[in-house]
Amino acid sequence: MIISGTERMAGNDDLNSGDSEGDNFRLHLVTWNVATADPPADMSSLLHLESPKLPDIYVFGLQEVYSGPVRFLSDVVFDDPWSHFLMTTLAPLNYVKVSSIRMQGLLLLFFTKLEHLPFIRDIQSTYTRTGVFGYWGNKGGVSIRLSFYGHMLCFLNCHLAAHMNNVTERVVEFESITAQQIFNCDKAQTILDHRLVFWFGDLNFRIEDHGMHFVRTCINNKNYSLLWSKDQLIMMKKKEKLLQEFEEGPLDFQPTYKFDLNTDTYDSSKKRKPAWTDRILWRLRPKALPSDKQDECGDIPDTDHVKELEEPEEKLLELDQDLYTSHMEYSISDHKPVTGIFTLKLKKMYTTPAVHLLAEGEWSADIDAMLLYRPLQPFPSSSWDWIGLYKVGFTGVSDYITYTWVKDDEVAIDEEVIKVYMSKEEIPVRGGECVLGYYCNTWQCIIGISQPFKVHASKVAIEEGLHQTGATDKIQD
């Protein structure tokens, strides 16, 4: 007996509805100037894949990704090697690429555990060129902004002007990027309007005054603190008001630039003094604006949580840095990668996805399929919304098997549940474990994921399999 859609959808048992323990979320952020190299064969230590507690979010900010004409055109059509490597590495661990943006050699990627995907909304990205008077993208910044359980977050990956004497230019470029980047959201139009901003990348700040011998001696003896007072970024933070709003953990790791390729040896030509060019900073706005008590672009908190939100505003979102370090074992570049691991402590503005999805009846390529969805929260639906069919372990939003336009293919609507048709033509004939995802075009994200369900192999696939088995048996006989 097939249970009716309304009965089966009455309980909110969606895999996304469970709370994360204590509303704490682990964020793993990596910045790396890769000097046009392709990914190494193994990045397990950089990703902390052996950790007993994997992060909820991975963010990767890369600089100098190879962007030669042929490769760059190929990357426009296909995923670049770094994106492909990270997606194929993380997808089996149940991570999904939520968003990415590239400007020539600058690349920014955001991944999340599947369970958080429907709670990441209003995703937008943009870029700013600062190279060659603002016309060339070899330098500048790329950013991704989004709402995470109703809190405004922004991630800014920069590659700023090089060379020792351009310290002021680096600050000017950063200020220009934060001023120029505008988002289509009334309550968070600029980077600095967001409740939490991460600023990272090859910021190119150097160590002034100290001679080469003194710097290397301090590094060899691990007396890093003797170099801090002449670090240009630390020095400029004392002068520039905007920089003072950003925090950074102690530089208790050796400078990450410049190394001979494929070695742990600092520039043997002795032309480049070691420096902490690769940095991760953050800015947590001290007080939430009134708009932070709802999703910044109009989403409404769960009524069950309204009382929880009536707390001091600064308690709605807190941040702790758990680790700030470099990784000397990677030598494909003249820079070493830097990792920052953070704990986000926040009060969720909502605990249920906007949409609950269900595959109705049995699915196979032999018959047209039906799915059901039920809105659980108000959301800005449009004629461009679609529902995708994904293999379990899909890599990103665009990694669907097939999709159906919600408004075009609705076949039945009642007060609670909407039924949508999906053609059998694109359902995989060999079947497999799948999920459904509802994509909201206005928010640029998936706002509901179904429980995994079985798509059965079609009769044609079964017959072909039996035929091939029979042929094999005859060969063996």
Side-chain angles (χ1 to χ4, degrees):
M1 179 180 73
I2 297 177
I3 301 173
S4 75
T6 303
E7 290 172 339
R8 292 179 66 182
M9 297 189 79
N12 183 27
D13 59 352
D14 190 276
L15 62 88
N16 305 306
S17 61
D19 286 350
S20 183
E21 182 180 352
D23 287 359
N24 287 350
F25 300 87
R26 193 171 178 85
L27 186 153
H28 187 118
L29 196 156
V30 176
T31 180
W32 193 1
N33 182 321
V34 299
T36 74
D38 284 342
D42 184 7
M43 294 202 330
S44 298
S45 63
L46 184 61
L47 302 176
H48 286 204
L49 296 184
E50 305 303 322
S51 171
K53 183 173 175 57
L54 290 175
D56 299 277
I57 296 169
Y58 278 109
V59 178
F60 299 90
L62 305 179
Q63 306 86 40
E64 291 194 23
V65 175
Y66 181 69
S67 56
V70 175
R71 170 71 72 81
F72 190 76
L73 289 174
S74 173
D75 292 348
V76 170
V77 180
F78 307 102
D79 290 315
D80 65 272
W82 284 92
S83 297
H84 178 76
F85 180 90
L86 291 167
M87 287 191 291
T88 54
T89 299
L90 294 175
L93 301 175
N94 218 28
Y95 289 92
V96 177
K97 189 187 80 171
V98 174
S99 182
S100 66
I101 181 170
R102 181 171 179 183
M103 181 186 72
Q104 286 183 222
L106 273 171
L107 177 63
L108 178 58
L109 303 113
F110 184 102
F111 293 81
T112 182
K113 284 184 176 178
L114 180 63
E115 65 194 84
H116 305 308
L117 187 59
F119 303 99
I120 298 174
R121 303 176 182 175
D122 194 43
I123 303 161
Q124 298 180 45
S125 59
T126 189
Y127 62 88
T128 302
R129 300 185 182 97
T130 60
V132 191
F133 305 107
Y135 290 101
W136 191 242
N138 64 318
K139 296 291 193 295
V142 293
S143 63
I144 294 173
R145 64 87 55 209
L146 49 83
S147 162
F148 184 71
Y149 288 93
H151 295 271
M152 297 182 287
L153 311 182
C154 186
F155 299 85
L156 173 62
N157 172 28
C158 288
H159 192 183
L160 302 180
H163 307 305
M164 178 73 73
N165 60 344
N166 285 331
V167 57
T168 301
E169 184 177 346
R170 288 188 270 279
V171 175
V172 170
E173 287 181 348
F174 173 60
E175 292 175 341
S176 175
I177 290 168
T178 57
Q180 289 183 33
Q181 294 197 357
I182 303 297
F183 301 101
N184 185 26
C185 184
D186 291 341
K187 301 184 178 79
Q189 290 186 338
T190 72
I191 290 173
L192 299 178
D193 288 335
H194 291 76
R195 186 73 201 283
L196 176 60
V197 176
F198 289 95
W199 171 38
F200 48 94
D202 180 0
L203 307 186
N204 256 322
F205 290 101
R206 310 303 172 96
I207 297 173
E208 289 189 356
D209 296 339
H210 294 312
M212 182 77 75
H213 177 73
F214 180 79
V215 171
R216 295 199 177 195
T217 299
C218 289
I219 294 170
N220 291 337
N221 295 329
K222 297 185 178 181
N223 291 327
Y224 308 128
S225 61
L226 297 180
L227 304 175
W228 294 348
S229 64
K230 296 300 180 180
D231 173 81
Q232 289 180 335
L233 180 53
I234 293 175
M235 294 167 68
M236 292 303 288
K237 285 188 70 173
K238 297 176 181 178
K239 303 177 182 178
E240 300 291 334
K241 183 177 180 181
L242 178 57
L243 296 183
Q244 291 169 10
E245 297 178 11
F246 283 81
E247 299 182 57
E248 183 181 19
L251 298 169
D252 286 330
F253 51 89
Q254 68 186 82
T256 53
Y257 176 82
K258 173 183 181 174
F259 290 85
D260 292 341
L261 291 181
N262 302 310
T263 73
D264 290 335
T265 304
Y266 283 106
D267 188 15
S268 57
S269 71
K270 302 186 185 298
K271 292 181 179 179
R272 293 286 188 273
K273 189 164 50 174
W276 286 289
T277 58
D278 310 283
R279 312 287 277 268
I280 299 173
L281 299 91
W282 70 93
R283 174 186 181 269
L284 182 61
R285 202 175 61 218
K287 292 282 187 179
L289 297 175
S291 60
D292 278 347
K293 292 193 176 181
Q294 65 176 28
D295 183 282
E296 62 275 15
C297 290
D299 198 11
I300 301 172
D302 291 350
T303 54
D304 293 342
H305 290 261
V306 170
K307 290 184 178 179
E308 290 184 25
L309 301 180
E310 294 176 356
E311 294 190 10
E313 292 175 337
E314 62 271 17
K315 295 296 183 182
L316 294 178
L317 175 61
E318 300 176 86
L319 182 74
D320 290 332
Q321 186 173 54
D322 304 315
L323 181 69
Y324 190 30
T325 191
S326 59
H327 299 263
M328 293 296 117
E329 65 270 30
Y330 294 96
S331 57
I332 61 171
S333 168
D334 55 355
H335 292 251
K336 302 296 184 181
V338 172
T339 292
I341 297 180
F342 301 86
T343 297
L344 287 173
K345 302 177 181 179
L346 58 84
K347 289 294 183 181
K348 296 177 181 177
M349 302 300 182
Y350 36 77
T351 57
T352 57
V355 168
H356 187 66
L357 287 160
L358 178 70
E360 176 77 335
E362 292 189 355
W363 279 49
S364 78
D366 296 323
I367 56 172
D368 294 331
M370 292 291 174
L371 60 93
L372 308 173
Y373 78 88
R374 177 164 64 99
L376 302 179
Q377 297 176 9
F379 69 92
S381 62
S382 77
S383 58
W384 296 103
D385 290 1
W386 48 269
I387 294 173
L389 177 67
Y390 296 87
K391 285 276 191 182
V392 168
F394 66 100
T395 60
V397 173
S398 60
D399 188 25
Y400 49 76
I401 300 166
T402 185
Y403 66 90
T404 184
W405 295 105
V406 175
K407 299 299 183 183
D408 289 350
D409 296 313
E410 288 179 352
V411 294
I413 303 176
D414 65 24
E415 293 182 357
E416 295 185 352
V417 178
I418 302 166
K419 184 177 289 189
V420 180
Y421 156 93
M422 183 172 283
S423 171
K424 65 182 179 181
E425 300 300 326
E426 299 297 331
I427 296 175
V429 295
R430 297 190 180 278
E433 288 290 312
C434 294
V435 295
L436 296 166
Y438 187 113
Y439 184 85
C440 173
N441 185 69
T442 303
W443 281 342
Q444 296 286 295
C445 61
I446 288 177
I447 59 173
I449 294 280
S450 74
Q451 291 281 358
F453 63 94
K454 177 75 172 180
V455 174
H456 298 280
S458 70
K459 293 177 182 178
V460 173
I462 293 172
E463 290 172 358
E464 288 179 352
L466 291 172
H467 177 72
Q468 291 174 359
T469 302
T472 302
D473 291 343
K474 288 180 180 180
I475 292 172
Q476 290 175 344
D477 291 342

